[in-house]
Amino acid sequence: MADNTILIKNALILNPENNIEGKKDLLIKNDLIDEIADEIPEDKADKIIDATDKILLPGLVNTHTHLSMTLFRGLADDLALDEWLNENIWPVEANLNGYYCYIGALLGAVELIKSGTTTFSDMYFYMEDVAKAVDESGLRAVLSYGMIDFGDEEKRKAEIEENMNLFKNCNDTADGRIKVFFGPHSPYTASEELLKEVRRLADETGIGIHIHVSETQKEIDDVSAEKGLRPFEYLDSIGLLGPDVVCAHSVWLSDREIEIIKEKDVKISHNPCSNMKLASGIAPVSKLLENDICVAIGTDGASSNNNLDLIEELKTASLLQKVATLDPKVLTSDEAVAMGTINGARALGLDDEIGTVEVGKKADLILIDTNCANMVPDSSNLSSNIIYAANGSNVDTTICNGQILMENKELTTLDEQEIYQKAREAIDQLKKAI
Ligand SMILES: CSC[C@H]1O[C@@H](n2cnc3c(O)ncnc32)[C@H](O)[C@@H]1O
Ligand SMILES: [Zn+2]
């Protein structure tokens, strides 16, 4: 079969941790970045993309979301987590089916592609239907089935079986773009027995773990009352924690818990918009970064955010740390770019493949248009322009695994109008069932 070759010309490259000076050409061969040079001849490629006035950076990595929850955007606003989940979201989720989750995931995929995310880590229900949406969209994803047993043994077995079936049926599918993790929901919904079994199976299979931890003060109080330990102390005491664990939120942390996170090389997915909207609190991100802990970024679901724009999320993360510490020097735009790219790749165990613009890595790349009112004048500091001035709507081109998913703001793999229509119908039907 002939090679897929794409030549991107004249791009300013923003690369986390290792900047590339001046305008460059970049050649994609099949799914990989093949060459980066001052000038690459046009006859080396079948397809040319002119990146004049555009900034090229690694595709963004959203390390915590519930993609199908796009259907619930705006459904239950202005509530704290407990009331939001127990009285609003879980009753609606009880009426979900595979089709709804598929349509919600397609809607989320459109939003991710349009705002520059090429990889996302998802925890939800009907995950084989979500995998179908990932396959069709061309995105890269880490998928976990969200396991909740509330101490019920039968439920526990069924939940673990569901996640294992997802692993057997979907891991390494979609040309290797889909990986499967375990998704125990949280220390307050998953029993000790479930968490211990997850650790055993993670060691056996080599797959990672995605879990919500220490999101609210109520969680700290409840777990402390039941276990006599704070959430990270408890998870450590039962052996769950390790470098393959990605913890979402992690807002309320004692100094001892930060030590545990560091010692065990646990990865943190920071979700500032969701934490602000549900009034959960402010995660001590600058302290975590000072301790060399890998902090990545996530949007959480579109019902607690209410969008999946990762550039907006990174700006929020940066500004929130500045105001929380009253120090404008913390969480710089360079650190924010790393959070949205290479740190996300590390959290998901994909840093050999994605997260930087480097020859030999997967061609997961985005182009951001600077010929827009909010991006002029061009800043000599590219990360400043991307984090503080841009937003997802400045993304012009999105490429994942060497495949163009959007060019000049036009989607190539998904029909967005058809998806909007189906999503509207799906939520109308769901509302009737409530
Ligand atoms: C069992 S699948 C995932 C489960 O998590 C719920 N969820 C969404 N956002 C949050 C959050 O911020 N904290 C805890 N749980 C959350 C989602 O609605 C699903 O039920
Ligand atoms: Zn979540």
Side-chain angles (χ1 to χ4, degrees), residues 89-192:
I89 297 299
W90 281 341
V92 187
E93 285 178 341
N95 295 294
L96 281 171
N97 61 32
Y99 175 74
Y100 293 142
C101 288
Y102 167 67
I103 294 298
L106 282 179
L107 177 61
V110 170
E111 198 179 346
L112 294 179
I113 294 169
K114 291 188 99 168
S115 55
T117 293
T118 52
T119 298
F120 69 101
S121 178
D122 206 58
M123 177 206 290
Y124 211 54
F125 311 108
Y126 298 99
M127 292 306 289
E128 295 203 22
D129 298 277
V130 175
K132 184 166 176 273
V134 173
D135 190 11
E136 291 170 10
S137 69
L139 285 165
R140 191 181 300 285
V142 172
L143 305 180
S144 47
Y145 171 73
M147 294 180 276
I148 294 179
D149 68 339
F150 285 119
D152 178 318
E153 195 181 339
E154 285 307 304
K155 186 90 194 322
R156 174 160 63 250
K157 285 186 187 149
E159 295 289 80
I160 291 173
E161 194 180 339
E162 183 82 27
N163 210 142
M164 281 305 287
N165 284 340
L166 178 68
F167 173 61
K168 284 175 197 147
N169 297 335
C170 296
N171 193 48
D172 257 329
T173 60
D175 302 320
R177 287 181 285 109
I178 296 180
K179 304 279 181 214
V180 171
F181 269 26
F182 287 108
H185 172 263
S186 68
Y188 56 94
T189 51
S191 66
E192 187 171 327

Side-chain angles (χ1 to χ4, degrees), residues 64 66 69 81 84-85 89-90 93 123-125 146-148 185 188 212 215 249 274 278 300-301 304:
H64 178 68
H66 313 280
M69 290 185 86
L81 178 71
W84 176 77
L85 257 188
I89 297 299
W90 281 341
E93 285 178 341
M123 177 206 290
Y124 211 54
F125 311 108
M147 294 180 276
I148 294 179
H185 172 263
Y188 56 94
H212 298 89
E215 182 173 0
H249 303 291
S274 173
L278 301 172
D300 211 357
S304 60

Side-chain angles (χ1 to χ4, degrees), residues 235-369:
L235 294 176
D236 191 35
S237 76
I238 62 169
L240 185 87
L241 300 179
D244 55 351
V245 181
V246 184
C247 297
H249 303 291
S250 305
V251 171
W252 297 96
L253 303 174
S254 66
D255 286 349
R256 175 64 199 136
E257 285 177 296
I258 293 177
E259 270 172 30
I260 292 172
I261 291 167
K262 188 176 164 67
E263 276 163 27
K264 293 289 154 76
D265 194 16
V266 171
K267 313 300 191 292
I268 302 299
S269 173
H270 176 45
N271 310 146
C273 289
S274 173
N275 296 157
M276 291 164 75
K277 185 159 184 274
L278 301 172
S280 300
I282 305 175
V285 170
S286 40
K287 209 166 171 185
L288 295 171
L289 292 173
E290 268 167 34
N291 279 280
D292 284 328
I293 289 165
C294 176
V295 183
I297 191 91
T299 54
D300 211 357
S303 182
S304 60
N305 186 303
N306 287 6
N307 67 42
L308 306 179
D309 183 336
L310 215 60
I311 298 178
E312 202 177 273
E313 198 76 29
L314 289 164
K315 176 174 179 173
T316 305
S318 171
L319 301 193
L320 185 60
Q321 286 307 301
K322 293 176 196 305
V323 76
T325 57
L326 295 180
D327 180 356
K329 293 194 166 50
V330 299
L331 227 179
T332 62
S333 55
D334 281 344
E335 288 175 306
V337 168
M339 274 177 79
T341 55
I342 186 64
N343 292 8
R346 282 193 187 116
L348 303 178
L350 295 174
D351 46 316
D352 285 346
E353 293 183 59
I354 59 166
T356 55
V357 183
E358 239 176 284
V359 170
K361 280 203 172 179
K362 296 284 186 189
D364 286 17
L365 304 166
I366 59 174
L367 292 174
I368 302 214
D369 192 4

